[in-house]
Amino acid sequence: MKKQLIIGITVLLFSIWLSGCQSQGFMVDRINEEPTNYVNMTEEQMNKFPHLKEAILTNKSVETPPEELSRLQGILEYYDTDYIYYQNEYYEIGFYCAD
């Protein structure tokens, strides 16, 4: 319960921070070594994150709606990681905010 409250507050603060941005999105870097902790993303799960999927497939930063950013941030916070595993590759996920 305590961890869920902390995650909820973190996601709320992150959402407030993003609301002041002109544009926000994902930055994705493929990494060669398996990280200690990561989220395994299936194709079905990735369909819920179309902008993340686009960033991975194009290897570019992608502007993303706040709702999608908040959902992914919540998942990564819950698992205490910045990494995902998708299609046999590991990726480090970053977020950006530009005015």
Side-chain angles (χ1 to χ4, degrees):
M1 178 74 170
K2 187 175 181 181
K3 184 175 182 176
Q4 292 168 330
L5 178 62
I6 292 170
I7 291 169
I9 291 170
T10 302
V11 170
L12 175 64
L13 292 174
F14 184 72
S15 298
I16 291 169
W17 175 72
L18 287 175
S19 67
C21 300
Q22 294 291 329
S23 66
Q24 61 265 344
F26 296 120
M27 299 174 293
V28 178
D29 290 315
R30 189 176 61 80
I31 59 173
N32 294 323
E33 295 183 19
E34 180 179 339
T36 304
N37 193 18
Y38 59 89
V39 177
N40 186 17
M41 298 290 279
T42 65
E43 192 64 39
E44 182 179 332
Q45 290 167 320
M46 285 298 285
N47 288 334
K48 297 176 184 175
F49 298 98
H51 295 87
L52 175 61
K53 189 173 182 178
E54 179 184 348
I56 289 171
L57 296 176
T58 62
N59 198 29
K60 295 181 181 180
S61 297
V62 175
E63 191 170 332
T64 310
E67 300 81 26
E68 187 175 338
L69 283 172
S70 294
R71 281 186 288 127
L72 184 62
Q73 180 69 24
I75 290 169
L76 295 176
E77 287 284 329
Y78 182 80
Y79 290 101
D80 193 26
T81 188
D82 293 325
Y83 302 96
I84 66 166
Y85 182 72
Y86 174 64
Q87 291 187 339
N88 301 316
E89 299 285 349
Y90 297 98
Y91 298 92
E92 182 174 12
I93 308 301
F95 302 91
Y96 72 86
C97 172
D99 293 333

